Amino acid sequence: MLSPSEPRYVRVVIDRAIHRELDYAVPETLAERVNIGSRLRVPFREKSALATVLALLDQSDAKGIRPIEAIVGEAPILTEQLLELAKWMAPYYCCPIETVIRSLLPQVVRKAEVGWKKQLFVQPAGEIASEEIEKLRRRAPRQAELLEVIKRLEQPVRATELLRQTALDNQTLRALVKRGLAQLREEAVPRDPHGDEQFVGTTSLGLNREQEAALREITSAFGSPENASPILLHGVTGSGKTEIYLQAIRSALDLGRTAIVLVPEISLTPQTVERFKGRFNDSPDIVAVLHSHLSEGERHDEWHKIHSGRARIVVGARSAVFAPLQNLGLIVVDEEHEGTYKQEEAPRYHARDVAVMRAKIEKCIILLGSATPSLESYHNATRGKYRLLNLTQRVDEGQMPLMRIVDLRQERRREKAAAILSEKLRSAIADRLEKREQTILFLNRRGFSTSLLCSNCGQACDCPNCSVGLTFHRHVARLNCHLCGHTAAVPKKCPSCGQDALIYVGFGTEKVEATVAHLFPSAAIRRMDADSMTRKEAYRETLRSFRAGQIDILVGTQMIAKGLHFPNVTLVGIINADLALHLPDFRAGERTFQLLTQVAGRAGRGETPGEVFVQTYTPFSPSIQFARHHDFAGYFEQELEFRERCDFPPFKHAILITIRCPHEARAKLSAETLRRRLKEALGPEFTLGEATPAPLEKLQGQFRFHILMRGQAIMRLSRLVRATLDKLPFPEDVAVAVDVDPYQLL
Ligand SMILES: [Zn+2]
Ligand SMILES: [Zn+2]
């Protein structure tokens, strides 16, 4: 395809999923400004639509070709490299390119409706003679007063600011403008999400031998990035991975290049932002931050800060992998094993995998870091596809925490009632309270009681829309569904048999908090989960007071599991290690190992070594035993063997199709029909599972069926699935979702 400098035609995708590319003519007056990646307004059917230019053409065979209407924005919005990435993602993730481009560009940029925040600035209109002011003083004393101030201005000031200071009104100012004595000018004012914060500058820390060796390997790859393989940095918790990222980024900047740092949304804490903004303060705009809590305006400004080249480092969650940086030198994916890198709506991409592909396209270095690498990445490293760098020591010779397993079966025999806190954990907490050290208690389940059961007829109070039980939340005294948000009053009697026999079963963080408060009445306790952290500042406040030592015991969900660093925490209690282990998912063991290792990593980050209590009913499960001995290699080997035996990733790719419909029979029929068509289309090299009800059969009022496929040649499998789906008309109320390399099998 030609790329003439003044194209006569363009091939575009419009922002609507019509599953095809369209050609438009370029009027001569616009030809000079149209480029690959430009945003356009084009006629589409009876209306107009926004579109992105994929290619410039000399000719087009399309019939009835129409001219484009306008160019939106000044510069092309997507680089050629990002477009190339989109063209890889669409067939890989089995979705139309329009859908990919939609996630490449934040909505606020795509729609181009929100602009810069503009403010009016005042300045004198040329020289103002004193006689002029005197003349004015007789007729309009207030205008004269204002003019006197304006005359003395050394630089333009905000109109609102000027009026506030002089206590004069807008009308007075307008009058001066009308007389041609003052000028108003509109200027863009940045909306900086971290503008009101002060970041203390830091300099590079000294590195230990392992860190130094790792950094050397990374920076030497900058010499010939086109030949470098992806680097996997496997460093135990507390081994100083972030310091390596920071120094590697510095090297990239010194070479005139830019960098992206991806962190899981949940780890994008003020602490993280501070580390990057504190280290890189070469210019005020050098670090841009992208995450889901930005306002539309802030997102617009951060994005354009990156697009214009003022920001050279982007720190962000998943979608920051698409940050429009030019001259990319380094992409860091921190906590690369994290499931939150997987987007659960179309395009269902995995940001780590997309980052690896982007690095390949941009010819830059990619660095994946983790204390518990994913099986996929570690497997790539052991067979030489990735380069493996190890950090086995904590910085400053800190000790790894001591892991103690508490067998809840024995506890139960001794105490009868299902203990939330075992005797051993209780006395460990008491000991820390006495020594004025801090404790973290972890349970990955919110609420007070996890279900309400009838002891007479055995019926549970289930969500009417989903096939799960409702959770009792004591602070609001209501039942809640954690999947669809349905809430209900607590029934007095059993809704099915009418007996007064309802009992609360299971427990969540709310009950742990209540139990701890009961056992240790004088301790300062705080809970941190999605229920208690509804306000944006609550999270920051809680972390601040925990750091300041105003909280003795912090109870929480995964919100507290990741990346937090508190030197005075010497005890971590994992209330129930079995929660993740028994989910019907081939990654259950991997997740448990990762979670235990990560949570345990919160203990003993200071001078005093930490202690971790893991409460479990399955003390001999491999994930728990390997985590206990900090034995990643041992765990990896046995897990890999299991995956190979069962044909699961990393040995085979998987595609999961979910069919949903409010009518069970129709969902089932559609799933079975699709499965039959797939059987005809797929060759014998692919494994095709039966159409089965999903483990979570009903969700938000929809019945769900699954079809799981596995195979080596993922691009081919993806294409065959797409072709099969395109030929099959589904009833209107049936929705089909295709998930390539799925993370959620529920
Ligand atoms: Zn009953
Ligand atoms: Zn529900």
Side-chain angles (χ1 to χ4, degrees):
M1 220 171 278
L2 287 167
S3 290
S5 59
E6 291 202 359
R8 301 185 49 216
Y9 301 95
V10 282
R11 182 154 298 158
V12 307
V13 281
I14 63 169
D15 284 5
R16 263 176 270 174
I18 56 161
H19 298 248
R20 81 201 146 85
E21 295 163 9
L22 301 170
D23 289 359
Y24 285 91
V26 182
E28 238 168 79
T29 48
L30 297 178
E32 210 177 316
R33 288 169 50 219
V34 170
N35 242 310
I36 291 180
S38 290
R39 293 280 287 168
L40 308 175
R41 186 166 286 288
V42 296
F44 179 66
R45 295 186 186 142
E46 302 312 310
K47 295 181 182 149
S48 69
L50 288 168
T52 311
V53 178
L54 292 182
L56 309 178
L57 310 173
D58 233 2
Q59 50 194 19
S60 166
D61 307 331
K63 295 205 177 61
I65 208 157
R66 293 156 82 185
I68 63 176
E69 288 170 0
I71 299 175
V72 183
E74 306 96 71
I77 212 155
L78 285 172
T79 60
E80 286 191 41
Q81 288 93 332
L82 278 170
L83 273 174
E84 202 178 326
L85 186 65
K87 286 178 189 162
W88 169 78
M89 284 177 71
Y92 187 95
Y93 290 110
C94 202
C95 65
I97 193 160
E98 302 92 292
T99 314
V100 175
I101 288 189
R102 205 161 49 208
S103 70
L104 245 65
L105 295 170
Q107 182 176 329
V108 60
V109 174
R110 228 170 46 233
K111 296 230 159 119
E113 280 163 2
V114 176
W116 295 95
K117 183 171 155 191
K118 298 249 173 87
Q119 283 189 335
L120 287 174
F121 284 75
V122 187
Q123 63 186 51
E127 280 295 314
I128 296 166
S130 306
E131 304 88 77
E132 196 98 45
I133 299 178
E134 288 318 310
K135 233 165 58 195
L136 200 57
R137 204 179 294 283
R138 271 164 275 147
R139 281 175 295 151
R142 278 191 305 185
Q143 286 178 33
E145 192 186 326
L146 186 59
L147 188 59
E148 216 156 2
V149 179
I150 293 173
K151 181 185 153 96
R152 286 197 303 267
L153 289 178
E154 276 166 20
Q155 58 195 30
V157 296
R158 274 178 211 183
T160 47
E161 186 70 6
L162 180 74
L163 295 177
R164 198 177 53 78
Q165 281 176 5
T166 53
L168 291 165
D169 58 15
N170 199 22
Q171 218 181 332
T172 314
L173 177 59
R174 295 278 166 188
L176 286 177
V177 174
K178 216 166 164 191
R179 285 179 198 276
L181 296 168
Q183 265 178 5
L184 284 176
R185 223 184 29 198
E186 236 186 4
E187 263 179 50
V189 207
R191 289 163 283 218
D192 185 343
H194 299 277
D196 54 349
E197 289 162 53
Q198 292 286 321
F199 296 98
V200 182
T202 64
T203 48
S204 296
L205 303 177
L207 302 179
N208 65 27
R209 271 233 294 286
E210 279 185 336
Q211 284 176 304
E212 220 169 80
L215 181 65
R216 215 171 23 241
E217 288 276 341
I218 298 161
T219 49
S220 72
F222 282 127
S224 55
E226 61 281 1
N227 302 321
S229 1
I231 300 170
L232 176 62
L233 179 63
H234 176 209
V236 298
T237 53
S239 59
K241 290 187 287 294
T242 311
E243 186 58 33
I244 292 182
Y245 305 155
L246 291 166
Q247 298 194 21
I249 294 169
R250 176 54 75 195
S251 302
L253 294 189
D254 288 347
L255 292 167
R257 309 192 73 171
T258 59
I260 295 177
V261 184
L262 298 183
V263 293
E265 179 85 47
I266 206 160
S267 317
L268 198 50
T269 58
Q271 248 178 326
T272 311
V273 174
E274 201 180 315
R275 288 194 79 171
F276 287 90
K277 290 236 180 193
R279 183 66 60 87
F280 300 101
N281 42 22
D282 319 31
S283 70
D285 282 347
I286 193 165
V287 179
V289 179
L290 293 175
H291 56 77
S292 62
H293 292 304
L294 298 181
S295 68
E296 287 285 86
E298 286 170 345
R299 197 183 309 279
H300 169 273
D301 288 10
E302 292 292 288
W303 194 92
H304 283 282
K305 207 159 96 180
I306 302 164
H307 187 245
S308 68
R310 277 180 294 137
R312 298 181 60 206
I313 302 164
V314 176
V315 181
R318 190 169 58 221
S319 65
V321 71
F322 305 122
L325 283 169
Q326 304 262 15
N327 205 6
L328 202 51
L330 174 69
I331 306 179
V332 175
V333 183
D334 189 28
E335 311 280 356
E336 65 85 27
H337 64 278
E338 264 295 318
T340 54
Y341 281 128
K342 174 80 178 170
Q343 171 149 299
E344 294 298 343
E345 59 194 67
R348 296 178 171 75
Y349 68 91
H350 194 297
R352 174 200 59 217
D353 300 343
V354 172
V356 170
M357 186 45 82
R358 182 164 182 196
K360 195 171 161 191
I361 293 171
E362 306 256 6
K363 298 188 178 57
C364 76
I365 302 300
I366 173 126
L367 176 60
L368 312 175
S370 177
T372 52
S374 64
L375 231 64
E376 286 85 347
S377 296
Y378 202 77
H379 184 58
N380 278 332
T382 54
R383 62 196 185 119
K385 237 183 121 183
Y386 290 2
R387 183 177 194 101
L388 181 64
L389 304 177
N390 285 301
L391 301 176
T392 58
Q393 305 291 318
R394 285 189 153 187
V395 288
D396 303 330
E397 276 125 46
Q399 297 288 304
M400 291 304 285
L402 186 63
M403 306 269 279
R404 301 184 189 281
I405 309 292
V406 181
D407 186 344
L408 286 177
R409 297 170 307 178
Q410 286 180 10
E411 289 286 319
R412 189 166 226 176
R413 249 169 259 142
R414 217 179 30 214
E415 285 200 30
K416 278 232 169 110
I420 291 178
L421 298 179
S422 61
E423 173 71 56
K424 292 184 185 114
L425 182 51
R426 282 203 301 263
S427 61
I429 296 173
D431 174 60
R432 294 317 190 282
L433 287 172
E434 205 159 284
K435 290 199 233 157
R436 305 223 39 88
E437 291 169 4
Q438 290 170 300
T439 298
I440 286 179
L441 297 178
F442 173 83
L443 179 67
N444 214 359
R445 198 160 60 186
R446 304 181 279 128
F448 194 80
S449 298
T450 40
S451 47
L452 195 53
L453 270 181
C454 173
S455 59
N456 181 48
C457 71
Q459 196 69 38
C461 285
D462 283 341
C463 173
N465 312 318
C466 311
S467 44
V468 294
L470 295 169
T471 301
F472 174 59
H473 288 254
R474 195 168 71 168
H475 69 290
V476 287
R478 283 183 80 81
L479 299 174
N480 274 334
C481 173
H482 287 174
L483 296 177
C484 73
H486 173 84
T487 97
V490 182
K492 292 223 161 50
K493 290 175 179 161
C494 170
S496 55
C497 73
Q499 291 284 308
D500 186 6
L502 290 173
I503 48 167
Y504 291 99
V505 187
F507 57 87
T509 41
E510 206 183 358
K511 190 158 182 181
V512 174
E513 182 191 23
T515 308
V516 177
H518 176 73
L519 289 168
F520 306 103
S522 61
I525 302 158
R526 197 77 68 82
R527 176 165 54 92
M528 201 157 171
D529 57 26
D531 300 316
S532 66
M533 296 292 128
T534 46
R535 285 181 309 119
K536 199 173 157 186
E537 319 81 59
Y539 182 71
R540 209 179 284 195
E541 273 164 30
T542 305
L543 290 183
R544 198 179 296 133
S545 30
F546 192 57
R547 181 186 302 273
Q550 291 151 352
I551 299 170
D552 300 313
I553 303 169
L554 188 63
V555 179
T557 53
Q558 61 207 26
M559 224 177 236
I560 59 173
K562 313 278 158 67
L564 300 176
H565 177 73
F566 300 106
N568 199 34
V569 173
T570 58
L571 175 66
V572 168
I574 295 166
I575 304 294
N576 186 341
D578 306 332
L579 281 185
L581 209 49
H582 304 301
L583 293 175
D585 184 334
F586 69 90
R587 285 200 181 84
E590 180 178 10
R591 289 205 179 113
T592 303
F593 177 85
Q594 288 167 347
L595 197 61
L596 292 186
T597 307
Q598 296 285 349
V599 178
R602 302 309 118 220
R605 288 299 198 89
E607 312 220 310
T608 329
E611 202 176 17
V612 181
F613 284 79
V614 181
Q615 303 195 133
T616 170
Y617 285 101
T618 53
F620 298 107
S621 89
S623 317
I624 292 178
Q625 283 300 328
F626 284 121
R628 173 193 188 177
H629 294 112
H630 310 289
D631 182 5
F632 180 83
Y635 144 79
F636 171 75
E637 234 165 79
Q638 77 80 44
E639 182 72 25
L640 199 69
E641 204 188 288
F642 155 71
R643 298 283 184 90
E644 185 160 31
R645 217 169 41 235
C646 308
D647 255 354
F648 275 123
F651 295 96
K652 292 281 171 68
H653 282 279
I655 295 185
L656 179 69
I657 299 186
T658 305
I659 296 99
R660 27 177 238 277
C661 177
H663 302 279
E664 190 171 8
R666 209 159 341 161
K668 186 163 189 271
L669 185 67
S670 299
E672 282 166 352
T673 312
L674 174 58
R675 203 252 168 204
R676 252 197 322 276
R677 294 292 167 84
L678 285 168
K679 190 162 174 49
E680 291 159 17
L682 303 188
E685 72 267 39
F686 300 111
T687 320
L688 174 64
E690 292 298 328
T692 51
L696 193 60
E697 279 185 67
K698 199 178 165 201
L699 177 66
Q700 297 173 336
Q702 307 254 357
F703 290 89
R704 307 164 74 245
F705 282 78
H706 275 173
I707 302 172
L708 186 69
M709 284 152 288
R710 274 170 286 169
Q712 214 110 52
I714 184 65
M715 269 294 186
R716 199 175 124 71
L717 181 57
S718 203
R719 275 205 192 98
L720 290 170
V721 168
R722 176 87 275 149
T724 309
L725 284 172
D726 285 347
K727 276 184 280 181
L728 201 62
F730 288 99
E732 220 163 68
D733 57 355
V734 171
V736 180
V738 184
D739 193 353
V740 178
D741 301 336
Y743 256 64
Q744 286 288 347
L745 298 180
L746 288 180

